[in-house]
Every structure is written in structure tokens, then in C-alpha cells.
Amino acid sequence: ALGSETGYHGAHASVHKMASGFGAKGTEGRCTPVWRNFSRCMSTADDPSECNDLREDYFECLHHRKEITRENTINEQRYKNMMEKSDKLKEDIWKHVFDTSWTKVEPKEKAKK
């Protein structure tokens, strides 16, 4: 019946059953130790919310959402910094390109004083 085979035990359906526990190469999966800690916590905790941090760690291990979000934020900032530097360099270059002050010739009388 519903329960032991599916791992469904009320509101915490995914808590009691995990994938095989083996990694892609037959060794222990990278998230298995994190899962064990979370599972141990859930089996001993009076309140499931006590295990929220371990649950969050387990899902981060599986999906890397926080890591990816942080990496995207860093890359966006890096791109923004590069564009600001690029805009500044372009501005400086164009100032020199259109600088015509070197073409101005002063009369010799003024130059002697």
C-alpha cells in the first residue's frame, strides 16, 4: 500500500526514501552523507523544522541553486565592471581622437613672451 514502497508518510514525502545512494561510477553518491545527516535528524527530531538547515543543504547538494545564483551574480557584476571600464576607455580614446588642440598655432609675438 501507499507508504513503505513510495516513501510517502504524510507531509514529508521525500524524507524517508532517497535514490539508490550510489554515484554515477558505482561509488557512494556525493550527496549521500548529507542525506544521511538529514534523515538522521528527521528520525530523531521532535519538530521537523529543526532539520530545515540540513534539508536545505541536501537540496543544495543535489541542485546547486545557491551556487549557481551566486556565480551568476558574480558574472553579472564582472560584466558590469568590464563595461564600465570599457566605456571609460572609449571616452578617453575619443577625447584624444577629436583633440585638435595640437593644430592650433599661436602667433610668434605671443609665443616669445
Side-chain angles (χ1 to χ4, degrees):
L2 197 65
S4 58
E5 309 94 48
T6 61
Y8 183 79
H9 297 282
H12 304 288
S14 64
V15 171
H16 298 288
K17 191 158 176 84
M18 169 188 165
S20 67
F22 292 99
K25 297 180 181 177
T27 58
E28 183 176 78
R30 73 175 187 276
C31 299
T32 302
V34 182
W35 166 258
R36 281 195 206 112
N37 289 339
F38 173 54
S39 183
R40 190 176 314 117
C41 179
M42 287 300 291
S43 65
T44 60
D46 294 328
D47 179 13
S49 66
E50 294 174 23
C51 305
N52 282 349
D53 288 346
L54 291 171
R55 179 181 185 274
E56 194 174 308
D57 289 346
Y58 177 60
F59 279 102
E60 177 60 23
C61 182
L62 290 174
H63 305 292
H64 307 285
R65 288 191 179 121
K66 289 180 181 179
E67 177 185 359
I68 291 167
T69 299
R70 178 165 167 69
E71 193 170 317
N72 286 341
T73 302
I74 289 169
N75 287 336
E76 287 169 8
Q77 186 61 46
R78 181 178 293 137
Y79 178 77
K80 182 180 173 186
N81 291 347
M82 284 181 4
M83 292 311 294
E84 287 173 359
K85 287 179 183 178
S86 172
D87 290 344
K88 176 71 173 126
L89 284 171
K90 287 177 190 175
E91 184 181 316
D92 290 346
I93 290 169
W94 283 112
K95 279 182 187 176
H96 291 290
V97 167
F98 291 111
D99 179 16
T100 58
S101 63
W102 60 273
T103 62
K104 295 178 184 170
V105 179
E106 293 186 23
K108 290 186 178 187
E109 295 95 41
K110 288 185 179 179
K112 289 182 181 179
K113 291 182 182 180

